[in-house]
Amino acid sequence: MNREEKKKPVKKPEKLSRRDLEELMNMKAPTYNRWWWSDKKKVRNPNEPIWSIMVNESFCLWRYRQAVSMKVLYQESGKMYYKGEYTNLKIDPYELCPCGSDKKFKFCCYQKARKVRDEGFTPKNYNESRMNHEMLKVWESTDFKFCFGFDETECDGQIKSAHSIQNNRILNKISHDNHVYSMVGKISNESPIASFKKISKNKASTFFGFCDTHDTELFKPIELKAYNNEPEQNFLFAFRAHAIEYHKKLRKLNNFRKIFKINPSALIRNDSVYAYRVCELDIEDCKKDYEKFKLDYIKKDYSRLRTFYRRLDYEVNFAASSSFCVQNDLEENEMNKIYDSLEGYMPSIYLNVYPENGGTNIVISYHLEDEEKYSNYFDQLETLTNEQLTNYLNFLIIEYTENVFFNPGWIENLTESEKNSILDSFQSSIFVMKRIDLINAKNYYKFDLFNNDTF
Ligand SMILES: [Zn+2]
Ligand SMILES: [Zn+2]
């Protein structure tokens, strides 16, 4: 298969219209945008704790709403402009303090926030590796145990670190010496960077989301028997993909609480309040999605998902499981305005791609309540040939997912340019500058996750 010939289902950068240009010239760049999306020299001190939010937002936590409301526009010369929409947001004095204290903001951190702002917050001057270490420490401290099983009266046993991708059959298949590769984020002094990290198979895709009983009982139909496109199996695959993302979004909220404690002035800063609001909305979305699963489960009605299933006759060298909200359909019509991040409810789709019994299963679902949003998109998916489909998923998986794990031999056998293309494309989905560099370097999505070289 000639990889060069494959069409990339990636939206072409828009040209800058006269009106856009005028708008841009009149636009005052919002601080957040200047800070995060600026060229390297202008980046603020990355030691600020808010970086930890961003890094987690970008890499540890996949988002379906963009943290920054922004659109990239192109001029013919290739010169780039940002068009940001930014709302001045505030924490209401009488809402619960975002630090998590259960007190009203006015009577909790508000005065502290003003004091720190007026006196200036002095970030610690850590070197790069210390900085990453500190951020990881904060992130790890956000972890919590909660059983997402629907009936808590059935909960029994400890809440274990549960796999969101089946361990024995699937992860075993792509692992080597009990290890797989994952994609992780680090920050350097200048920008966030993505890299591959070899991790133990036992840690891949895990989260503290189910008690012993639920982890064992609930998922039996997909743990103990091969996938057969049964409604109950589709339901469970979708639900498990949802649960890990929901858990991560809640961790993100914890992360905010910690950061607001480290630097209370972040509570009265546009950028951090904005990011906090996006996080709140993310959680609201997850809650709504969860309720749909719960209702169906109680009624034992597994027919409320529409599932797209395709089987490839060869095994791929990766496994992915995730839920996310897709922005555009295959004809580039916008289904969800993820760049207008303070918009209303944004439902997710649920995606699982993994090798099994000599083939690869591609299982993608949405809930029928979201028929209006996604039915056309799924109709489009149905019309794709296998080649078109894998080509599209190549983009979709890296653009939207981080819960993806690779066969170590497969990664190690890629050319440097392919490796960089995966990492940079992943990074570019949240870091616009990178996207432009990649497109200019002609290395944007120049890899094929579905190449089935064996190891
Ligand atoms: Zn507080
Ligand atoms: Zn339970």
Side-chain angles (χ1 to χ4, degrees), residues 97 99 101 108-109:
C97 188
C99 79
S101 66
C108 187
C109 294

Coordinates of all heavy atoms in Angstrom, one line a residue, residues 97 99 101 108-109, ligand 1:
C97 N -16.4 28.0 46.5 CA -15.0 28.3 46.2 C -14.4 27.2 45.4 O -14.4 26.0 45.8 CB -14.2 28.6 47.4 SG -12.5 29.2 47.0
C99 N -11.6 26.1 45.3 CA -10.5 25.4 46.0 C -11.1 24.1 46.6 O -10.3 23.2 47.1 CB -9.9 26.2 47.0 SG -10.8 26.4 48.6
S101 N -13.3 23.9 49.2 CA -13.5 24.0 50.7 C -15.0 23.9 51.1 O -15.2 23.7 52.3 CB -13.0 25.3 51.2 OG -13.8 26.4 50.6
C108 N -13.9 32.7 51.3 CA -12.8 31.7 51.4 C -11.6 32.2 50.8 O -10.8 32.9 51.4 CB -13.3 30.4 50.6 SG -12.1 29.0 50.8
C109 N -11.3 32.0 49.5 CA -10.0 32.4 48.9 C -10.0 33.8 48.2 O -8.9 34.2 47.7 CB -9.6 31.3 47.9 SG -9.3 29.7 48.6
Ligands
ZN1 ZN -11.2 28.6 48.8

